[in-house]
Amino acid sequence: MANDPIHQFVIEDIFTFGTIGGDGAADTGVTIAFTNSALFMVLTTGLIAAWLVLTTRGRGLVPNRWQLSSELMYEFVANMVRSNAGTEGMKFFPFVFSLFTFILIGNWFGMIPYFFTFTSHIIVTFALSMLVMAVVVIYGFVKNGPKFLKLFVPSGVPGYIVPIVTPIEVISFLSRPVSLSVRLFGNMLAGHITLKVFTGFVVSLGSLGAIGVAGAVLPLFMGVAITALELMVSTVQAYVFAVLTSMYLNDAIHPSH
Amino acid sequence: MMQAQAQEQEPVLDELTEPVESDVESIDESVDGETHTEVGADGSEHVTGVFPPFDATTFPSQLLWLAISFGALYLIMSRVALPRVADILEARRDRVEGDLAEADRLRQKTDNAIASYEAELAQARGKAHAIAEETRGQIKADLDSQRSKVEADLAKKVASAEDRISRTKAEALGHVDEIATDTVQALVAQLTGQISESTARDAVEKVTKE
């Protein structure tokens, strides 16, 4: 059981608030609970908030190292938003910053043994990407009105190609939340399963005696290497999510390509 | 359990419905018991046999807490943290720009001071040059006038001296005849005897004219 690579993704209720709907019997209705997933979401928010708020408390003209870390993060995300969505996109800067840090710290938390990775659940990544899409669509229509639909008709395309291109554009737009969420979910899930399987080999082989211990060296090194790789993947996936969010927001701000 | 039910089912046909119900219940129980043993947990885990990320019974809780935590994060970031960082960066930029402007102003001032110093230096140098030039001219004029005076004086002296010399020379030359006359008279007197003075003079004149 300890080597079950899927067990790490199991949601456990820490305490429940009760059930909505259902007929009162067990396993009916919607149970609202504070789960291990929720715990790490709250921890992530708490860590980011503490980091940014506490390190900038001094408001130093010359920053200390901690304050500099907050400033670097700010500048990094600000440059990302500015280069992808323009100066106008900076009104979404807090949103992109929150997304990036939330996913980044959530992914990094997942790298700590026994910590739960909430980004390895499709519902979380899908909700975040639907949030992005909702912001894009709502802001796009509010700002541009019907002109937002120009997004589906690339400019400079001959009239007879429009009926072909537009459905492609629509499908590509609709598949955005799916690709956005599945990319993050899949990376985190696969990474954690791989890590668990390889490190599981170390334990299984190690229990087989001297030869087993010798054989366990290889998966141990693999485990170390995959841990490094996963740390990189965690960072890259958060970055990809934030960059794509910026680019989609750019579509809402400037719908005509 | 299953055996007991089978035994129960057998005897009375009228009570057929009841054993079926108990049968269903017991199957439920056995399924429940099996999952518990498989996971070996306290029953708070959501184990419905599906892959955990696709277990829809966990979705409402996850969505709720995602909304709460991400919403809180967004509020804290947009209201407190990010404006503060922006303030810090802006204050620093302002300060740096202010300092640069001040440095620029001071450099301008320095440049002006250097320029005015240079101008005054050039002016003073010109003045000094003019004064030197003037003094030199004055001295030269003074020198020239003195020299011309001295030269004139010398020329006068030379002229008077030459005049005196020529006069003396003429006078001396005038005396020559007289001496010659005396000499001739004396010579003739010694040689031949007395001659008159006028004769001697005539003779001398006659010789000197030749």
Side-chain angles (χ1 to χ4, degrees):
Chain A
M1 277 317 116
N3 280 344
D4 179 12
I6 304 301
H7 186 257
Q8 59 180 321
F9 303 111
V10 172
I11 299 275
E12 290 169 33
D13 295 348
I14 294 172
F15 52 87
T16 55
F17 294 103
T19 306
I20 299 166
D23 53 10
D27 291 336
T28 59
V30 175
T31 307
I32 299 298
F34 188 80
T35 63
N36 50 356
S37 165
L39 173 68
F40 282 98
M41 290 180 194
V42 172
L43 283 179
T44 299
T45 292
L47 180 71
I48 297 166
W51 169 34
L52 278 158
V53 172
L54 295 181
T55 58
T56 57
R57 199 175 39 186
R59 293 166 188 266
L61 191 66
V62 178
N64 59 25
R65 287 171 195 210
W66 286 105
Q67 187 184 324
L68 191 65
S69 72
S70 289
E71 288 176 12
L72 286 175
M73 192 56 130
Y74 181 99
E75 295 275 14
F76 176 70
V77 181
N79 286 335
M80 178 167 72
V81 174
R82 210 176 283 124
S83 61
N84 284 303
T87 317
E88 240 182 300
M90 285 306 280
K91 67 178 68 166
F92 294 108
F93 170 63
F95 177 58
V96 179
F97 187 90
S98 305
L99 268 179
F100 178 64
T101 51
F102 191 68
I103 295 170
L104 182 71
I105 301 299
N107 289 349
W108 281 356
F109 262 149
M111 292 310 297
I112 302 172
Y114 298 105
F115 277 31
F116 187 83
T117 320
F118 61 81
T119 45
S120 66
H121 273 250
I122 184 81
I123 186 67
V124 174
T125 62
F126 189 69
L128 288 175
S129 46
M130 282 313 287
L131 180 64
V132 171
M133 284 301 125
V135 169
V136 167
V137 170
I138 292 169
Y139 182 77
F141 275 116
V142 166
K143 181 172 179 289
N144 304 295
K147 280 186 188 166
F148 180 60
L149 295 173
K150 269 191 185 171
L151 182 63
F152 303 117
V153 186
S155 58
V157 168
Y160 57 91
I161 296 187
V162 167
I164 308 167
V165 168
T166 302
I168 296 173
E169 290 282 336
V170 171
I171 291 168
S172 104
F173 186 82
L174 291 178
S175 63
R176 278 175 181 180
V178 178
S179 64
L180 196 58
S181 56
V182 170
R183 184 180 300 114
L184 177 57
F185 158 69
N187 271 288
M188 299 322 293
L189 184 84
H192 279 79
I193 291 176
T194 315
L195 198 54
K196 185 83 180 183
V197 167
F198 271 104
T199 48
F201 280 156
V202 180
V203 179
S204 314
L205 287 169
S207 61
L208 294 178
I211 299 165
V213 169
V217 171
L218 187 63
L220 178 65
F221 275 114
M222 283 301 286
V224 173
I226 290 171
T227 304
L229 177 74
E230 278 309 301
L231 274 171
M232 197 190 77
V233 167
S234 300
T235 314
V236 167
Q237 286 306 316
Y239 177 69
V240 166
F241 200 99
V243 164
L244 286 174
T245 300
S246 306
M247 290 168 76
Y248 296 161
L249 287 168
N250 184 45
D251 282 348
I253 298 162
H254 314 104
S256 43
H257 295 248
Chain B
M1 245 187 183
M2 294 291 269
Q3 281 175 350
Q5 279 154 21
Q7 280 167 4
E8 266 180 45
Q9 261 177 334
E10 254 184 60
V12 191
L13 283 172
D14 296 343
E15 296 172 352
L16 197 68
T17 51
E18 197 191 309
V20 169
E21 274 174 21
S22 66
D23 198 18
V24 171
E25 271 174 28
S26 63
I27 287 169
D28 271 353
E29 274 173 26
S30 66
V31 166
D32 212 24
E34 212 174 82
T35 50
H36 276 223
T37 50
E38 186 186 327
V39 176
D42 56 3
S44 67
E45 294 185 1
H46 289 260
V47 179
T48 46
V50 297
F51 187 51
F54 298 145
D55 181 0
T57 61
T58 68
F59 288 0
S61 302
Q62 291 202 68
L63 287 176
L64 174 73
W65 288 102
L66 177 65
I68 291 171
S69 51
F70 187 72
L73 178 67
Y74 179 77
L75 283 179
I76 295 167
M77 291 298 110
S78 60
R79 297 281 159 82
V80 184
L82 296 179
R84 193 190 280 179
V85 178
D87 281 352
I88 291 170
L89 293 176
E90 203 172 333
R92 184 175 307 147
R93 195 161 45 228
D94 285 355
R95 176 69 183 272
V96 168
E97 272 170 11
D99 284 0
L100 281 178
E102 176 70 10
D104 207 41
R105 197 183 63 77
L106 289 176
R107 203 186 52 208
Q108 201 79 38
K109 214 169 152 185
T110 313
D111 284 353
N112 287 345
I114 288 173
S116 69
Y117 161 76
E118 294 270 344
E120 269 180 32
L121 191 67
Q123 202 184 341
R125 200 174 281 153
K127 217 176 191 172
H129 191 71
I131 288 170
E133 216 35 44
E134 198 186 335
T135 312
R136 193 184 297 149
Q138 227 166 27
I139 288 169
K140 201 178 166 195
D142 208 22
L143 214 66
D144 278 355
S145 71
Q146 282 197 7
R147 190 167 57 200
S148 61
K149 209 197 280 175
V150 168
E151 271 174 2
D153 204 27
L154 278 174
K156 214 192 283 171
K157 275 184 180 164
V158 165
S160 74
E162 275 176 350
D163 190 39
R164 208 164 54 233
I165 287 167
S166 65
R167 220 156 5 126
T168 311
K169 196 176 163 189
E171 202 177 329
L173 280 174
H175 286 310
V176 166
D177 282 357
E178 208 172 310
I179 293 164
T181 307
D182 282 350
T183 312
V184 165
Q185 202 175 357
L187 276 171
V188 170
Q190 286 286 327
L191 291 171
T192 61
Q194 278 302 78
I195 61 161
S196 67
E197 197 186 324
S198 60
T199 315
R201 194 180 295 140
D202 288 345
V204 168
E205 270 177 19
K206 203 170 153 194
V207 172
T208 48
K209 270 179 191 159
E210 279 169 8

mmCIF file of all heavy atoms in Angstrom, chain B residues 3 6 12 21 47-48 56 64-65 69-70 83 85 90-91 111 131 135 139 142 144 158 162 176 188 199 207:
data_model
loop_
_atom_site.group_PDB
_atom_site.id
_atom_site.type_symbol
_atom_site.label_atom_id
_atom_site.label_comp_id
_atom_site.label_asym_id
_atom_site.label_seq_id
_atom_site.Cartn_x
_atom_site.Cartn_y
_atom_site.Cartn_z
ATOM 1 N N GLN B 3 -23.903 -17.722 3.055
ATOM 2 C CA GLN B 3 -24.476 -19.052 3.301
ATOM 3 C C GLN B 3 -25.712 -18.954 4.161
ATOM 4 O O GLN B 3 -26.726 -19.581 3.904
ATOM 5 C CB GLN B 3 -23.437 -19.945 3.992
ATOM 6 C CG GLN B 3 -22.433 -20.486 2.980
ATOM 7 C CD GLN B 3 -21.341 -21.275 3.657
ATOM 8 O OE1 GLN B 3 -21.232 -21.264 4.889
ATOM 9 N NE2 GLN B 3 -20.562 -21.983 2.864
ATOM 10 N N ALA B 6 -28.606 -17.811 2.122
ATOM 11 C CA ALA B 6 -29.117 -18.887 1.265
ATOM 12 C C ALA B 6 -30.019 -19.830 2.059
ATOM 13 O O ALA B 6 -31.072 -20.233 1.585
ATOM 14 C CB ALA B 6 -27.949 -19.658 0.666
ATOM 15 N N VAL B 12 -39.392 -20.372 3.422
ATOM 16 C CA VAL B 12 -40.760 -19.897 3.118
ATOM 17 C C VAL B 12 -40.753 -19.048 1.847
ATOM 18 O O VAL B 12 -39.995 -18.091 1.709
ATOM 19 C CB VAL B 12 -41.307 -19.035 4.290
ATOM 20 C CG1 VAL B 12 -42.789 -18.778 4.081
ATOM 21 C CG2 VAL B 12 -41.033 -19.728 5.606
ATOM 22 N N GLU B 21 -33.939 -8.109 0.377
ATOM 23 C CA GLU B 21 -33.501 -6.823 0.952
ATOM 24 C C GLU B 21 -32.251 -6.999 1.806
ATOM 25 O O GLU B 21 -31.278 -6.268 1.699
ATOM 26 C CB GLU B 21 -34.612 -6.220 1.807
ATOM 27 C CG GLU B 21 -35.582 -5.396 0.973
ATOM 28 C CD GLU B 21 -36.763 -4.916 1.788
ATOM 29 O OE1 GLU B 21 -36.627 -4.879 3.026
ATOM 30 O OE2 GLU B 21 -37.792 -4.589 1.193
ATOM 31 N N VAL B 47 -12.855 7.316 -1.059
ATOM 32 C CA VAL B 47 -12.441 6.210 -1.895
ATOM 33 C C VAL B 47 -13.676 5.634 -2.552
ATOM 34 O O VAL B 47 -14.501 5.009 -1.916
ATOM 35 C CB VAL B 47 -11.708 5.130 -1.086
ATOM 36 C CG1 VAL B 47 -11.323 3.991 -2.006
ATOM 37 C CG2 VAL B 47 -10.477 5.724 -0.455
ATOM 38 N N THR B 48 -13.809 5.937 -3.797
ATOM 39 C CA THR B 48 -14.955 5.411 -4.529
ATOM 40 C C THR B 48 -14.486 4.510 -5.635
ATOM 41 O O THR B 48 -15.228 4.178 -6.533
ATOM 42 C CB THR B 48 -15.791 6.564 -5.091
ATOM 43 O OG1 THR B 48 -14.899 7.490 -5.692
ATOM 44 C CG2 THR B 48 -16.568 7.252 -4.008
ATOM 45 N N ALA B 56 -15.449 12.901 -8.441
ATOM 46 C CA ALA B 56 -16.288 14.101 -8.444
ATOM 47 C C ALA B 56 -16.808 14.471 -7.063
ATOM 48 O O ALA B 56 -17.191 15.622 -6.842
ATOM 49 C CB ALA B 56 -17.456 13.905 -9.407
ATOM 50 N N LEU B 64 -14.588 25.089 -3.482
ATOM 51 C CA LEU B 64 -14.873 26.065 -2.426
ATOM 52 C C LEU B 64 -13.562 26.631 -1.866
ATOM 53 O O LEU B 64 -13.387 27.849 -1.785
ATOM 54 C CB LEU B 64 -15.681 25.399 -1.306
ATOM 55 C CG LEU B 64 -15.894 26.301 -0.086
ATOM 56 C CD1 LEU B 64 -16.914 27.378 -0.404
ATOM 57 C CD2 LEU B 64 -16.323 25.500 1.132
ATOM 58 N N TRP B 65 -12.654 25.724 -1.520
ATOM 59 C CA TRP B 65 -11.422 26.201 -0.886
ATOM 60 C C TRP B 65 -10.496 26.876 -1.872
ATOM 61 O O TRP B 65 -9.725 27.764 -1.514
ATOM 62 C CB TRP B 65 -10.730 25.057 -0.147
ATOM 63 C CG TRP B 65 -11.505 24.724 1.081
ATOM 64 C CD1 TRP B 65 -12.351 23.694 1.280
ATOM 65 C CD2 TRP B 65 -11.551 25.519 2.271
ATOM 66 N NE1 TRP B 65 -12.924 23.773 2.511
ATOM 67 C CE2 TRP B 65 -12.446 24.876 3.143
ATOM 68 C CE3 TRP B 65 -10.941 26.694 2.689
ATOM 69 C CZ2 TRP B 65 -12.740 25.374 4.417
ATOM 70 C CZ3 TRP B 65 -11.216 27.194 3.937
ATOM 71 C CH2 TRP B 65 -12.116 26.535 4.787
ATOM 72 N N SER B 69 -9.231 30.493 -1.041
ATOM 73 C CA SER B 69 -7.803 30.791 -0.904
ATOM 74 C C SER B 69 -7.309 31.670 -2.046
ATOM 75 O O SER B 69 -6.571 32.627 -1.817
ATOM 76 C CB SER B 69 -6.988 29.503 -0.820
ATOM 77 O OG SER B 69 -7.324 28.649 -1.879
ATOM 78 N N PHE B 70 -7.752 31.368 -3.280
ATOM 79 C CA PHE B 70 -7.278 32.196 -4.384
ATOM 80 C C PHE B 70 -7.877 33.603 -4.313
ATOM 81 O O PHE B 70 -7.197 34.590 -4.587
ATOM 82 C CB PHE B 70 -7.598 31.546 -5.733
ATOM 83 C CG PHE B 70 -6.984 32.264 -6.897
ATOM 84 C CD1 PHE B 70 -5.618 32.195 -7.115
ATOM 85 C CD2 PHE B 70 -7.756 33.033 -7.739
ATOM 86 C CE1 PHE B 70 -5.034 32.876 -8.166
ATOM 87 C CE2 PHE B 70 -7.177 33.724 -8.799
ATOM 88 C CZ PHE B 70 -5.813 33.635 -9.008
ATOM 89 N N PRO B 83 0.497 47.004 -4.474
ATOM 90 C CA PRO B 83 0.633 48.463 -4.428
ATOM 91 C C PRO B 83 1.839 48.910 -3.606
ATOM 92 O O PRO B 83 2.507 49.889 -3.943
ATOM 93 C CB PRO B 83 -0.670 48.929 -3.780
ATOM 94 C CG PRO B 83 -1.643 47.852 -4.063
ATOM 95 C CD PRO B 83 -0.847 46.578 -4.058
ATOM 96 N N VAL B 85 4.692 47.231 -3.126
ATOM 97 C CA VAL B 85 5.924 47.034 -3.909
ATOM 98 C C VAL B 85 6.032 48.107 -4.985
ATOM 99 O O VAL B 85 7.106 48.671 -5.222
ATOM 100 C CB VAL B 85 5.945 45.623 -4.535
ATOM 101 C CG1 VAL B 85 7.199 45.441 -5.377
ATOM 102 C CG2 VAL B 85 5.903 44.566 -3.459
ATOM 103 N N GLU B 90 8.504 52.878 -7.175
ATOM 104 C CA GLU B 90 8.323 54.229 -7.698
ATOM 105 C C GLU B 90 9.122 55.242 -6.901
ATOM 106 O O GLU B 90 9.767 56.129 -7.452
ATOM 107 C CB GLU B 90 6.838 54.589 -7.654
ATOM 108 C CG GLU B 90 6.478 55.675 -8.626
ATOM 109 C CD GLU B 90 4.974 55.860 -8.703
ATOM 110 O OE1 GLU B 90 4.252 54.882 -8.448
ATOM 111 O OE2 GLU B 90 4.545 56.974 -8.994
ATOM 112 N N ALA B 91 9.079 55.060 -5.554
ATOM 113 C CA ALA B 91 9.835 55.979 -4.695
ATOM 114 C C ALA B 91 11.315 55.910 -5.044
ATOM 115 O O ALA B 91 11.994 56.946 -5.124
ATOM 116 C CB ALA B 91 9.620 55.602 -3.230
ATOM 117 N N ASP B 111 30.080 73.696 -14.452
ATOM 118 C CA ASP B 111 30.475 74.074 -15.808
ATOM 119 C C ASP B 111 30.416 75.587 -15.974
ATOM 120 O O ASP B 111 31.319 76.195 -16.564
ATOM 121 C CB ASP B 111 29.541 73.407 -16.835
ATOM 122 C CG ASP B 111 29.875 71.939 -17.001
ATOM 123 O OD1 ASP B 111 30.895 71.513 -16.416
ATOM 124 O OD2 ASP B 111 29.125 71.225 -17.682
ATOM 125 N N ILE B 131 48.462 95.933 -21.048
ATOM 126 C CA ILE B 131 49.310 96.765 -20.180
ATOM 127 C C ILE B 131 50.776 96.589 -20.564
ATOM 128 O O ILE B 131 51.531 97.565 -20.714
ATOM 129 C CB ILE B 131 49.079 96.383 -18.705
ATOM 130 C CG1 ILE B 131 47.696 96.882 -18.260
ATOM 131 C CG2 ILE B 131 50.157 96.989 -17.813
ATOM 132 C CD1 ILE B 131 47.274 96.359 -16.915
ATOM 133 N N THR B 135 53.154 99.486 -21.885
ATOM 134 C CA THR B 135 54.400 99.816 -21.181
ATOM 135 C C THR B 135 55.585 99.707 -22.138
ATOM 136 O O THR B 135 56.463 100.589 -22.170
ATOM 137 C CB THR B 135 54.596 98.837 -20.013
ATOM 138 O OG1 THR B 135 53.387 98.759 -19.277
ATOM 139 C CG2 THR B 135 55.716 99.290 -19.117
ATOM 140 N N ILE B 139 58.023 102.662 -23.099
ATOM 141 C CA ILE B 139 59.468 102.565 -22.876
ATOM 142 C C ILE B 139 60.210 102.789 -24.190
ATOM 143 O O ILE B 139 61.207 103.522 -24.263
ATOM 144 C CB ILE B 139 59.812 101.190 -22.278
ATOM 145 C CG1 ILE B 139 59.334 101.135 -20.831
ATOM 146 C CG2 ILE B 139 61.300 100.906 -22.347
ATOM 147 C CD1 ILE B 139 59.372 99.768 -20.224
ATOM 148 N N ASP B 142 60.066 106.378 -25.163
ATOM 149 C CA ASP B 142 60.970 107.095 -24.266
ATOM 150 C C ASP B 142 62.404 106.908 -24.735
ATOM 151 O O ASP B 142 63.172 107.875 -24.883
ATOM 152 C CB ASP B 142 60.792 106.525 -22.865
ATOM 153 C CG ASP B 142 61.116 107.561 -21.805
ATOM 154 O OD1 ASP B 142 61.056 108.760 -22.136
ATOM 155 O OD2 ASP B 142 61.446 107.139 -20.685
ATOM 156 N N ASP B 144 63.410 105.898 -27.619
ATOM 157 C CA ASP B 144 63.632 106.481 -28.936
ATOM 158 C C ASP B 144 63.907 107.976 -28.823
ATOM 159 O O ASP B 144 64.849 108.492 -29.442
ATOM 160 C CB ASP B 144 62.399 106.244 -29.816
ATOM 161 C CG ASP B 144 62.440 104.858 -30.420
ATOM 162 O OD1 ASP B 144 63.467 104.156 -30.216
ATOM 163 O OD2 ASP B 144 61.442 104.437 -31.067
ATOM 164 N N VAL B 158 79.551 116.591 -32.792
ATOM 165 C CA VAL B 158 80.450 116.175 -33.864
ATOM 166 C C VAL B 158 80.644 117.319 -34.870
ATOM 167 O O VAL B 158 81.775 117.636 -35.278
ATOM 168 C CB VAL B 158 79.882 114.932 -34.571
ATOM 169 C CG1 VAL B 158 80.595 114.688 -35.903
ATOM 170 C CG2 VAL B 158 80.023 113.700 -33.680
ATOM 171 N N GLU B 162 83.939 119.065 -35.704
ATOM 172 C CA GLU B 162 84.472 119.089 -37.062
ATOM 173 C C GLU B 162 84.760 120.530 -37.499
ATOM 174 O O GLU B 162 85.803 120.817 -38.125
ATOM 175 C CB GLU B 162 83.469 118.430 -38.024
ATOM 176 C CG GLU B 162 83.610 116.925 -38.073
ATOM 177 C CD GLU B 162 82.546 116.287 -38.959
ATOM 178 O OE1 GLU B 162 81.587 117.002 -39.373
ATOM 179 O OE2 GLU B 162 82.649 115.061 -39.211
ATOM 180 N N VAL B 176 101.133 128.195 -41.813
ATOM 181 C CA VAL B 176 102.215 127.543 -42.563
ATOM 182 C C VAL B 176 102.980 128.565 -43.432
ATOM 183 O O VAL B 176 104.201 128.602 -43.420
ATOM 184 C CB VAL B 176 101.629 126.398 -43.422
ATOM 185 C CG1 VAL B 176 102.661 125.933 -44.475
ATOM 186 C CG2 VAL B 176 101.220 125.220 -42.551
ATOM 187 N N VAL B 188 117.383 132.515 -46.246
ATOM 188 C CA VAL B 188 117.983 133.411 -47.211
ATOM 189 C C VAL B 188 118.982 134.302 -46.513
ATOM 190 O O VAL B 188 120.081 134.517 -46.974
ATOM 191 C CB VAL B 188 116.905 134.219 -47.945
ATOM 192 C CG1 VAL B 188 117.511 135.351 -48.783
ATOM 193 C CG2 VAL B 188 116.084 133.256 -48.851
ATOM 194 N N THR B 199 109.135 140.038 -49.864
ATOM 195 C CA THR B 199 109.725 139.240 -50.936
ATOM 196 C C THR B 199 109.655 137.780 -50.616
ATOM 197 O O THR B 199 109.285 136.946 -51.432
ATOM 198 C CB THR B 199 111.188 139.635 -51.132
ATOM 199 O OG1 THR B 199 111.292 141.045 -51.125
ATOM 200 C CG2 THR B 199 111.752 139.056 -52.446
ATOM 201 N N VAL B 207 105.560 129.495 -54.471
ATOM 202 C CA VAL B 207 105.818 128.038 -54.374
ATOM 203 C C VAL B 207 104.547 127.264 -54.010
ATOM 204 O O VAL B 207 104.242 126.252 -54.598
ATOM 205 C CB VAL B 207 106.939 127.774 -53.339
ATOM 206 C CG1 VAL B 207 107.072 126.275 -53.086
ATOM 207 C CG2 VAL B 207 108.234 128.339 -53.831
#
